[in-house]
């Protein structure tokens, strides 16, 4: 009876300890807590979805501990290089913690997300355009291409031969479907006013001179807010974090030695 009571007590005691506090492994007597595994899994949702993810994390932590013990045993932690790297790592971790805490304490208002989405939709416009182009360095080259097209030469052949935009040149100048808000203003204005299947140009941008052909248009349906919300929220959080850092810098006494 006494033995059974001891076993029961030990079992109750084991269940009374929070699971996250239990070690998942020990390396030469040093415990690796389950909380460390959970922290890594939470920081990497993609990893958490992989098969045997938890086992991979545990094995990696064991490897890290083995190597850390080796480094300490061989006094590598006392070298100036390692001390410098540890100092930088500590600064980075603290900086990340500050930003994370600020973002947590300053949640993005739903109204701001809605306003950002409305601006995105407005910038997209109501139509998108299937476009191809030929990009060259000078107006003279662009004029020569326009003349060659009027003389009956194929747009795709000229794009492959002359365009300095090699990515599109490999596909006959094809850019696919474009929303005007995606491109620089002169290019956007050109595709919005160009007739279908009739090259226009030269159109000058900071990239050079374009000969542009709109092949088709279609009505544009913006993605719903539900599919954009996470991305918009992340962008607004990044903007707030950048402002947070800027404000801290403005309040600090900074002296950068040249």
């Amino acid at each position: 009876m006494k033995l059974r009571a001891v076993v029961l007590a030990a079992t109750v005691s084991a269940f009374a300890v929070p699971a996250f506090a239990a070690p998942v492994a020990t390396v030469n007597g040093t415990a690796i807590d389950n909380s460390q595994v959970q922290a890594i899994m939470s920081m990497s949702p993609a990893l958490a979805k992989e098969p045997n993810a938890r086992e991979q994390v545990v094995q990696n932590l064991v490897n890290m501990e083995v190597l850390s013990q080796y480094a300490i045993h061989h006094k590598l932690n006392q070298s100036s290089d390692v001390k410098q790297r540890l100092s930088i790592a500590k600064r980075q971790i603290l900086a990340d913690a500050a930003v994370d805490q600020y973002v947590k304490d300053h949640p993005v208002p739903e109204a701001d997300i809605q306003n950002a989405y409305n601006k995105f939709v407005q910038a997209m416009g109501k139509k998108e355009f299937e476009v191809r182009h030929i990009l060259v360095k000078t107006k003279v080259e662009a004029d020569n291409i326009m003349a060659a097209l009027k003389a009956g030469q194929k747009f795709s052949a000229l794009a492959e031969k002359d365009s300095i935009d090699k990515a599109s040149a490999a596909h006959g100048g094809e850019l696919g479907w474009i929303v005007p808000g995606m491109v620089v203003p002169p290019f956007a204005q050109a595709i919005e006013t160009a007739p279908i299947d009739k090259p226009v140009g030269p159109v000058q941008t900071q990239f050079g001179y374009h000969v542009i052909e709109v092949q088709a248009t279609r009505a544009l349906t913006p993605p719903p807010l539900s599919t954009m919300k996470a991305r918009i929220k992340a962008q607004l959080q990044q903007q707030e974090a950048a402002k947070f850092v800027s404000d801290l810098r403005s309040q600090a006494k900074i002296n950068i030695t040249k």
Side-chain angles (χ1 to χ4, degrees), residues 19-20 22-25 32-38 40-41 47-61:
F20 62 81
V24 294
I32 298 175
D33 291 335
N34 187 50
S35 59
Q36 297 174 5
V37 177
Q38 296 304 319
I40 292 174
M41 299 276 277
L47 171 64
K49 294 178 182 178
E50 293 183 8
N52 304 318
R54 186 175 183 279
E55 181 181 349
Q56 293 179 44
V57 172
V58 171
Q59 294 299 332
N60 285 338
L61 285 170

Side-chain angles (χ1 to χ4, degrees), residues 141-156:
E141 292 174 288
D143 286 334
N144 290 338
I145 289 170
M146 286 293 293
L149 289 169
K150 289 178 182 178
Q153 293 193 40
K154 290 186 177 180
F155 194 104
S156 58

